[in-house]
Amino acid sequence: MTPQQIVGTASRLFAIWLLITAFQAVAIGGALKAGSSDPSAVWVPYLMGGFYLLAGLLCWFFPMVIAHKLVPRTKYDDVLRVPAQQALVVACVVLGLLVIAFKALAPVMGYLSVCALWIGSGQPVSTMDAGRHIDGFIGFAQLALGLFLVLKAQVVAKRLLDEPQAPEHELRSEVS
């Protein structure tokens, strides 16, 4: 892989991170809307989520444009000898662990703690305010995404590389 291809791949991984953050911002907007009667305070998280979404889409669809802006152009003989598939699998696992550690654990543990306290006081969890449930849902969704990135890193890496796959019958004829 060339340095530009590595930065382009990192740009796509960053796009995933931005989309996770956009989802979180929109969910916060939903929680604010459910818990507030002031409609003027609700639009800011949606606006921020839109900015994150736009930046994520730009990073996803134009990774090489970004890479060429960030890394000076080199000749194609400036190739770093890192196996792309294995490096991308490692990057997906690291990204998944970061999502779990920095995005998912605090909301999940906070939600479970509040649920335990709520149940301990003799009240059903269904009587908690909607904002608490939304925070818990966000945490569990981020936990699921982080676990997906960690456990299915091979699948994600294959999708990110966009390598065209030969049809199965062609592969069999080459082996014969």
Side-chain angles (χ1 to χ4, degrees):
M1 290 180 77
T2 65
Q4 289 85 5
Q5 289 171 327
I6 292 171
V7 172
T9 302
S11 175
R12 282 203 162 173
L13 290 172
F14 184 58
I16 294 171
W17 181 266
L18 289 171
L19 293 176
I20 293 167
T21 307
F23 172 74
Q24 182 179 13
V26 169
I28 289 171
L32 285 175
K33 187 175 184 179
S36 174
S37 61
D38 182 18
S40 64
V42 177
W43 64 271
V44 174
Y46 291 119
L47 180 66
M48 295 306 296
F51 285 138
Y52 284 125
L53 179 65
L54 178 63
L57 290 174
L58 289 173
C59 287
W60 182 263
F61 288 113
F62 303 106
M64 295 311 293
V65 171
I66 294 167
H68 288 300
K69 294 287 185 189
L70 295 175
V71 178
R73 290 192 184 260
T74 59
K75 299 176 185 158
Y76 282 105
D77 58 350
D78 296 340
V79 176
L80 300 174
R81 301 289 177 207
V82 177
Q85 180 73 23
Q86 289 82 3
L88 198 50
V89 168
V90 169
C92 288
V93 169
V94 169
L95 178 62
L97 292 173
L98 288 172
V99 168
I100 291 169
F102 295 126
K103 291 284 190 177
L105 284 182
V108 166
M109 297 312 288
Y111 178 72
L112 292 176
S113 298
V114 169
C115 286
L117 290 172
W118 208 262
I119 291 170
S121 68
Q123 298 179 1
V125 175
S126 62
T127 60
M128 285 189 340
D129 63 328
R132 297 256 187 214
H133 291 296
I134 291 172
D135 289 342
F137 175 76
I138 292 169
F140 281 113
Q142 290 171 339
L143 180 63
L145 181 63
L147 288 172
F148 176 77
L149 286 170
V150 169
L151 299 175
K152 297 293 186 179
Q154 295 275 1
V155 174
V156 175
K158 284 182 183 178
R159 290 287 202 154
L160 287 174
L161 283 177
D162 288 333
E163 292 181 12
Q165 299 293 325
E168 191 174 324
H169 69 280
E170 288 181 17
L171 291 175
R172 287 186 190 151
S173 64
E174 290 177 7
V175 174
S176 307

